[in-house]
Amino acid sequence: MSEHVLITGGAGFIGTRLAARFTQDGHRVTVLDALIPQVHGDDPASTSPLLRSLDGVAEVRVGSVTSTDDLRAALDGVTVVVHLAAETGTGQSMYEIDRYVETNAGGTAKLLDILANQETSVRRIVIASSRSIYGEGAYETEDGRRVYPGHRRDADMAAGDFDVHIAGEGALRLVPTPEDALIHPSSVYGITKQMQESLVMTVAPAIGIEGVAVRYQNVYGPGQSLKNPYTGILSIFSTLIRQGKEINIFEDGEESRDFVYIDDVVEATYLAAIDSRAAGHTFNVGSGVATSVNEVVAALFDAFGREVPTRISGNYRLGDIRHNVADTRLLTETLGFTPRVPFREGVRAFVEWVLSEPVEEGGYQRSLDEMSKRKLLK
């Protein structure tokens, strides 16, 4: 059955790829996006390749999820909503609190308020959630018990101890975090993503709409912004490598994340929106593999065929987690999909694309200065 899909935040890195995927299978796509300068530049029509990639793919409506009028107009005739629109960035969220809450929680509330109180054609809503809602993910104790450590202490990290601890326990071992894990975000961003997900998965079934949540891990790949300092370390480090600048590796470089390639994320999200088996489920969308920051640097050096100086500085950001890796079995068991792109292969494809793009100055140092000024970066 052909769907009319609304993708909020659909002019972004994930949304544009997802729009093309829907169009490929004959679905109609509408995109609602505020085209914020941090992502699209000051003149998106000329500065945003992502926006231009939607030509002939989707109807683009410029507007905000914080506007009831913009949302109401964009929902006309829509049968499936993929709600990607959100302010992103763990660090920035810790000092732009009002903006993050207004856009992420407030925008989701406005969307659901329309669906609850007005006649629409919407039958399913997919909410883009995040691994950040887990805070520190799942670990096992020395005797095999599953535990969920709390936030790391500033005093410990200042002393160079970056590991997670639970009083009375010995060394903890990282294990994949399943969807039924404890939810205890450690940043404002994580809190707002939890709010988005909880709102959708509570309200949608109550008003006769199928809800699906996809908890993205660290998404990367061609098309990712190279100038937005809150999009991830692959983009940041790639720019530094191209500029021949030193890479400052925070903590001890052994902190790890689950990096998942854009094509895998798009396919998982497409199935979450279209496949009848997805209704009512929450899915981790990741690779299921933990990759350390040191391993990221090595993979980038290999793909670029060059190295720059690195410095393991011991710097750390309050609100950051130590590790997280997703348990992706539910996605495979329910929808028959397993992420396919290994990290090294994905990095090579990403770097090939990066080398075709102009070198962007970006705002990475400015973002660090902002955090330092607020004593969030130590």
Side-chain angles (χ1 to χ4, degrees), residues 297-354:
V297 172
L300 286 170
F301 284 170
D302 180 64
F304 275 106
R306 63 175 295 194
E307 298 185 7
V308 297
T310 60
R311 177 169 56 94
I312 298 177
S313 65
N315 291 141
Y316 59 93
R317 298 188 308 179
L318 298 180
D320 270 358
I321 63 168
R322 179 63 168 170
H323 300 296
N324 192 246
V325 61
D327 184 334
T328 61
R329 288 176 296 177
L330 185 63
L331 181 66
T332 301
E333 292 167 359
T334 307
L335 301 182
F337 179 73
T338 301
R340 300 180 176 91
V341 182
F343 182 66
R344 287 265 178 169
E345 179 182 325
V347 168
R348 286 193 294 271
F350 173 68
V351 168
E352 182 179 351
W353 169 78
V354 168

Side-chain angles (χ1 to χ4, degrees), residues 140-147 168-172:
E140 280 188 356
T141 62
E142 292 174 329
D143 58 359
R145 288 175 291 114
R146 181 68 55 85
V147 292
E169 300 288 353
L172 302 177

